[in-house]
Amino acid sequence: MPRLAFRSSPPCLAAPLLALLLTGLPAAALADECPAPGQWQHHGQAADAAALLADLAERRVVLLGEQHERLAHHRWQLHTLAGLHAHEPRMAIGLEMLPREAQPVLDAWVAGELDEAGFLAESDWLGSWGYDPDAYLPILHFARMQRIPLLALNVTPALRQRIAEEGWEAIPPEERHAITPPTSASEGYREALAEVYANHPSAEDPEAGLERFVAAQLVWDRAMAQGLADASADTPLVVGLMGRGHVTYGHGVPHQLADLGIEQTATLLPWSAEESCTPPAGIADALFILGDETPFEPAEPQRLGVLIGTAEGGVRVMSVMEESLAESLGLRRDDLITEAAGRPLRRPGELTDLVRRQTPGTVLPLTVSRDGEREELLARFPLRNGTP
């Protein structure tokens, strides 16, 4: 789902969709005391970690939701994976982060044939995903040390868009990795997606645009669900890592797994008191309560304030956030950013990474094509707390 920051379109729906799903909670839903950090909650009650993880390890598929930019979420995922692995070492880990084409690279990584630099280059991590690989590398190293198979669950944005626009029957099965058409979105999921789309409408007919938006999301959910379901046929436990908007309330991937006949599933989320002391009922099967991890999170990455998507010859500006650096530069919808720091751009993730790594006070040259005219812009990133 879109978010107004540098990210490919459509990126994961987790942050904006979850915010919409959590609005409107009555004040009575908040408890006087928040659950203590470090404990698991199951059906609103504190749960014994050992007993809970033992039970979860007997499921066919377990989904660990995340906010991609939250380092604490990835640390929680690593700890949870280690706990599940202790109960069921015959497990596999599925990743939203990479498309099916990256599977040979994941196999080579687990086999110890690639170092970090080789893995990131051959998997095209920055082009395919764009989020900081340092947040994910501890999980990847854990999988390699334990020889746990890693599964590429996603499909490329190009295939996702093609299916959404042309329809499933127009694309031969071998060109869509034999992924089957998804079951329809539940009413609650569709309503949530419609609200997200309303915040970032396209220039085309709104109704037609919404249908393509929902269709693209269902492609994403179905691809991940089928990858997990296929792996569970001969692996006792498959754990999927993905944005939590694909997981909450049983929408998204759990809904598609049920359609594929996979009923023994569980959804897990990290939760912090800053969201609310009492999580909404049914948001997940179990929650792990985080403390205040703010002092241990990396600094907020630099942002330009645009939504970007793939395009021929660069990356396309889909929308510009108000009062953002992008707006001050004069960037507009449909601008094509062809180069950054003198480097030609192929995918949104490359620009995302360049922007995120900028030091406050530095300047990033951008080359923009608009209506056939080439323009050079200088994006100067602001100082923080008066220091560069």
Side-chain angles (χ1 to χ4, degrees), residues 46-374:
D48 178 74
L52 178 63
L53 289 171
D55 176 70
L56 292 170
E58 295 181 358
R59 308 295 179 95
R60 291 184 65 183
V61 175
V62 174
L63 305 177
L64 306 186
E66 64 178 58
Q67 284 178 271
H68 307 311
E69 71 280 5
R70 291 287 303 275
L71 184 58
H73 287 198
H74 302 300
R75 289 168 173 159
W76 163 77
Q77 287 174 325
L78 176 58
H79 300 161
T80 304
L81 286 167
L84 292 171
H85 183 260
H87 290 284
E88 180 48 84
R90 299 168 300 166
M91 66 184 290
I93 302 172
L95 304 174
E96 175 194 6
M97 299 80 210
L98 293 174
R100 304 297 177 88
E101 288 79 359
Q103 188 58 55
V105 184
L106 287 173
D107 294 341
W109 168 264
V110 172
E113 299 169 3
L114 294 171
D115 59 12
E116 289 183 4
F119 168 77
L120 296 176
E122 293 193 30
S123 67
D124 190 24
W125 179 275
L126 296 178
S128 297
W129 189 236
Y131 287 97
D132 189 353
D134 289 342
Y136 294 87
L137 280 167
I139 294 173
L140 298 175
H141 277 289
F142 170 73
R144 184 169 70 180
M145 290 176 68
Q146 301 290 346
R147 292 299 191 261
I148 300 171
L150 292 170
L151 311 173
L153 300 179
N154 218 328
V155 294
T156 62
L159 177 58
R160 191 160 55 239
Q161 182 176 356
R162 183 184 173 194
I163 295 174
E165 292 180 350
E166 300 178 20
W168 289 85
E169 299 306 321
I171 302 173
E174 62 272 16
E175 295 182 19
R176 49 180 161 90
H177 308 287
I179 299 169
T180 56
T183 188
S184 300
S186 63
E187 182 178 349
Y189 196 36
R190 185 175 179 83
E191 289 176 357
L193 293 175
E195 289 190 64
V196 174
Y197 179 78
N199 292 326
H200 312 288
S202 65
E204 61 185 323
D205 174 64
E207 186 173 345
L210 173 61
E211 290 305 313
R212 275 192 282 272
F213 186 65
V214 173
Q217 188 64 36
L218 291 179
V219 173
W220 203 332
D221 293 332
R222 186 67 172 203
M224 291 194 287
Q226 190 158 337
L228 294 164
D230 290 347
S232 73
D234 52 17
T235 304
L237 172 63
V238 184
V239 183
L241 309 186
M242 61 193 63
R244 61 182 187 172
H246 292 287
V247 170
T248 53
Y249 295 105
H251 299 322
V253 173
H255 184 62
Q256 298 299 327
L257 281 168
D259 182 65
L260 291 165
I262 308 298
E263 299 287 351
Q264 292 179 305
T265 64
T267 56
L268 312 182
L269 294 175
W271 193 264
S272 58
E274 65 192 41
E275 296 176 85
S276 74
C277 282
T278 304
I283 191 171
D285 293 312
L287 302 170
F288 181 80
I289 308 303
L290 295 173
D292 181 10
E293 293 290 324
T294 305
F296 313 109
E297 290 284 341
E300 181 73 14
Q302 298 288 356
R303 300 187 187 278
L304 207 59
V306 295
L307 176 68
I308 54 177
T310 55
E312 184 74 24
V315 296
R316 182 76 63 188
V317 176
M318 312 299 289
S319 64
V320 179
M321 179 184 289
E322 293 182 0
E323 301 181 1
S324 66
L325 177 57
E327 185 181 60
S328 69
L329 287 172
L331 282 173
R332 305 176 192 169
R333 180 189 177 92
D334 291 328
D335 281 349
L336 184 69
I337 306 176
T338 60
E339 295 182 6
R343 293 168 47 185
L345 297 173
R346 299 172 301 133
R347 299 184 181 181
E350 295 170 337
L351 186 53
T352 302
D353 184 64
L354 275 173
V355 168
R356 184 178 56 233
R357 294 179 185 278
Q358 293 300 304
T359 302
T362 58
V363 174
L364 177 65
L366 301 175
T367 302
V368 178
S369 176
R370 178 186 300 160
D371 299 325
E373 298 293 327
R374 176 186 171 107

